[in-house]
Amino acid sequence: MSYVTEEEYTSLGYETIENLETQLARSSMQINIMCYGRIDGRGFENLNDHQKKLIREAVCAHAEFCNTYKDYLNSPLQSFSISKTSINFGDIGVLINGIRTDKTVYEYLRGTGLMCRVI
């Protein structure tokens, strides 16, 4: 299940990516994990309009991030060096509950109030 439709994704200004429906479903699942399962726990439809809007934005931004960095996110290497040049993939985005995402996604989710560990 996805919190965002393909039409909503493009209406928010994102360009269509390959396997968009699958990517939106995967991103929705990962966004729920980042929120400690509270989105599905409460039911997406039971959230207020502000929370729904931020979650939809977060899903779209996360799908875009995953599409942009898919080659690096699925790489078994954390870093590598050649001569005096080195690349560290751990510096890409932020890590939330074991899922790497964009800082923008983190900011959207913080605004929902669903990421607080004390709830």
Side-chain angles (χ1 to χ4, degrees):
M1 183 204 142
S2 177
Y3 305 131
V4 180
T5 65
E6 293 181 37
E7 293 79 25
E8 289 171 324
Y9 181 84
T10 54
S11 72
L12 289 172
Y14 294 95
E15 294 184 22
T16 302
I17 56 178
E18 188 177 331
N19 299 319
L20 179 58
E21 186 177 334
T22 303
Q23 188 59 48
L24 289 175
R26 181 177 296 124
S27 293
S28 295
M29 179 191 66
Q30 291 178 337
I31 292 295
N32 186 50
I33 291 169
M34 289 181 221
C35 292
Y36 302 99
R38 292 187 178 117
I39 299 170
D40 285 348
R42 292 183 181 184
F44 183 74
E45 293 305 317
N46 295 326
L47 301 174
N48 65 46
D49 290 339
H50 178 71
Q51 289 173 317
K52 289 178 191 177
K53 180 182 183 287
L54 291 175
I55 289 168
R56 285 184 180 112
E57 289 279 1
V59 168
C60 292
H62 185 63
E64 182 73 17
F65 175 84
C66 290
N67 185 60
T68 301
Y69 293 104
K70 63 185 169 197
D71 295 333
Y72 303 109
L73 296 173
N74 295 325
S75 173
L77 300 174
Q78 289 294 322
S79 64
F80 68 89
S81 299
I82 299 174
S83 188
K84 293 182 180 181
T85 304
S86 66
I87 297 175
N88 184 359
F89 301 129
D91 294 340
I92 298 171
V94 295
L95 192 64
I96 305 170
N97 290 344
I99 299 170
R100 190 156 304 279
T101 192
D102 188 51
K103 293 174 186 171
T104 306
V105 173
Y106 177 70
E107 293 302 321
Y108 285 135
L109 294 179
R110 273 191 35 193
T112 66
L114 297 172
M115 290 186 68
C116 179
R117 292 183 181 190
V118 186
I119 294 181

